[in-house]
Amino acid sequence: MSPLDAFWHFSNLFAPAWLVAALMAAGAKLLWRSELKARAWQHLTLWGGIGGSLGVIAALLLLGRDGKMAGYGLMLLGISLPQCYLSLRPAR
């Protein structure tokens, strides 16, 4: 596998987590405007993407492969928990 192939392989592994994190951050900013007024959507996307990436890695370690529904559930849990924590915690 060439370095370019490895780059695309890992990018495609983590792309769903970051895309869903961005969509969830944008949706949260639309639905809870007053509560999340002080938070930038990039900040919400960053923490959701990191949590989703950790969920993908945990799914690979626990399930042995990518693409199982339980793995996507772990990814969504990893995205949702930081979003929930940041929405409940007051911004500085």
Side-chain angles (χ1 to χ4, degrees), residues 2-82:
S2 73
L4 185 61
D5 289 336
F7 169 76
W8 286 114
H9 187 77
F10 284 112
S11 295
N12 287 326
L13 177 66
F14 295 113
W18 286 90
L19 180 65
V20 171
L23 290 173
M24 184 177 285
K29 288 288 284 184
L30 284 174
L31 290 174
W32 294 284
R33 286 188 190 123
S34 60
E35 292 88 353
L36 295 175
K37 184 174 29 177
R39 301 252 183 230
W41 72 270
Q42 293 95 342
H43 188 250
L44 294 171
T45 301
L46 174 70
W47 286 104
I50 291 170
S53 297
L54 291 174
V56 168
I57 292 170
L60 281 174
L61 294 175
L62 293 174
L63 304 173
R65 60 178 286 233
D66 180 37
K68 290 188 175 185
M69 290 304 290
Y72 289 123
L74 283 173
M75 180 188 75
L76 288 175
L77 185 68
I79 294 169
S80 300
L81 287 177

